[in-house]
Amino acid sequence: MDESGKEWRCVGKVEELARKKCQRLYSAGGKTWDLALFHSKGVFYAMEAWCSHLGGPLFTGDIEDYKGRCHVMCPWHGYMFDLKDGSNEIGLKQEVHDVKIENGDVYILYRTELSLTAPE
Ligand code: FES
């Protein structure tokens, strides 16, 4: 674990996760810490799940090309967030997290365990 408390968390197989463009990852730390996992043009991106505008679920958003970069469009009011750095044209910001692929598995550098299924 590094000093920020983050560790590489395995979230599943590339071949399975790549089937969906957007999905929710449930955090062992509770809903606030859930992430949205995006897959676009062969690349995975991890971003905090809830929109920094008014809390819309970004894991149900659409992925769009916008000004030459991949963005997610929030389903609630349509604001766009850059998948790479979480930035937004009017100054909103989503936290993004590093993703790596190792031996066919997807890992996210994160502070809690993550799961594709909701905790009981
Ligand atoms: Fe996402 Fe308003 S809640 S754009």
Side-chain angles (χ1 to χ4, degrees), residues 50-58 74-81 92:
W50 311 106
C51 179
S52 51
H53 179 224
L54 289 172
L58 291 177
C74 180
W76 282 11
H77 311 100
Y79 286 136
M80 308 277 273
F81 296 91
L92 297 170

Side-chain angles (χ1 to χ4, degrees), residues 32-88:
T32 311
W33 301 101
D34 287 352
L35 295 184
L37 179 68
F38 302 109
H39 183 254
S40 178
K41 299 179 181 172
V43 180
F44 287 99
Y45 304 90
M47 179 183 285
E48 57 185 320
W50 311 106
C51 179
S52 51
H53 179 224
L54 289 172
L58 291 177
F59 49 85
T60 64
D62 282 328
I63 296 182
E64 311 265 346
D65 261 343
Y66 182 62
K67 299 190 173 175
R69 291 170 67 99
C70 288
H71 285 69
V72 57
M73 188 197 305
C74 180
W76 282 11
H77 311 100
Y79 286 136
M80 308 277 273
F81 296 91
D82 188 309
L83 293 188
K84 269 196 184 143
D85 62 13
S87 64
N88 156 279

